[in-house]
Amino acid sequence: MKKENSPGAPVLEKYSQKRDPATTPEPEAAVKHSAGEPIFVVQRHDASRLHFDFRLEADGVLKSWAVPKGPSLNPGEKRLAVQVEDHPLDYAGFEGTIPEGNYGAGTVEVWDSGTYTPLEKHRNVTRAIEEGLLEFSLHGRKLKGRFTLVRTRMSGQDKNWLLLKNDDQYAVHRDWEADDFPSHEKMQD
Ligand code: MN
C-alpha cells in the first residue's frame, strides 16, 4: 500500500514542495496542535475547477481531501473525496487569492469550520486514515452529525475516497448541495 508520507519523510514536505512562500499568501509549513478539541474546516476553492477542500486535524497537521461536489447532508449522496497532501494547521484560517502561476491558483473561502470527534475505535485518526476508514462527528455551522470517509479502489487509485453522511438527526433526505450555501452564511438549526 502506498502511503501519503513514506516513513521518515519530513512532515508537510509535499506541501512545501508545491509552494513558493515568496509568491503565495498561503501559510508556511509548521506542525501545530489546536488547544482544545481537534478542528475541521471546509474551504470553497474556486481554482481551475471549483471544489471543496475537506480537512481534519490529526497529529499536528490537516489531513486533506478535495471534494469536487462538496459534502452533502443527504446520506444518499456519496461524494468523491480525493486525498491530497497534508496541510499545516494554520491553513484552517486561510482565505484569499492564490495568484496565477501558483499551485491551486484561485480564491479560497472558509465555507464551514468547527471541531470534530472521531469514533472511539478511530481515536487514532492517522492510523484510521492509513487503514482507509474513518468515522467521526462534525460540530460545524453547516455540517453536523456523523460522517464516514472510506477509501475506495476506484480506477486502482488509493487516493480516491468517498465522503458520506450517516443517517442521523442531522441528515437531510432531499437535494443538499454545498454550493447552494454561501461561505459566510450561518445555518439555522
Ligand atoms: Mn483545493
Side-chain angles (χ1 to χ4, degrees), residues 18-29:
K18 288 172 186 269
R19 292 169 177 83
D20 178 356
T23 59
T24 180
E26 294 166 287
E28 289 194 43

Side-chain angles (χ1 to χ4, degrees), residues 29-95:
V31 175
K32 279 188 195 176
H33 299 258
S34 55
E37 295 296 305
I39 61 161
F40 84 93
V41 66
V42 180
Q43 282 156 316
R44 183 182 186 276
H45 188 179
D46 197 358
S48 51
R49 241 176 127 173
L50 174 68
H51 60 274
F52 291 75
D53 289 301
F54 184 83
R55 312 189 196 280
L56 297 170
E57 178 185 359
D59 292 332
V61 298
L62 295 172
K63 310 304 282 188
S64 297
W65 291 260
V67 184
K69 294 189 72 182
S72 178
L73 288 183
N74 184 337
E77 292 285 339
K78 295 180 173 66
R79 293 294 162 85
L80 175 66
V82 181
Q83 192 173 10
V84 299
E85 77 276 14
D86 295 346
H87 279 49
L89 189 71
D90 284 346
Y91 212 95
F94 175 69
E95 293 194 294

Side-chain angles (χ1 to χ4, degrees), residues 13 23 47 51 84 91 157 168 172 183:
E13 183 182 42
T23 59
H51 60 274
V84 299
Y91 212 95
Q157 296 271 357
D168 62 12
V172 172
S183 293

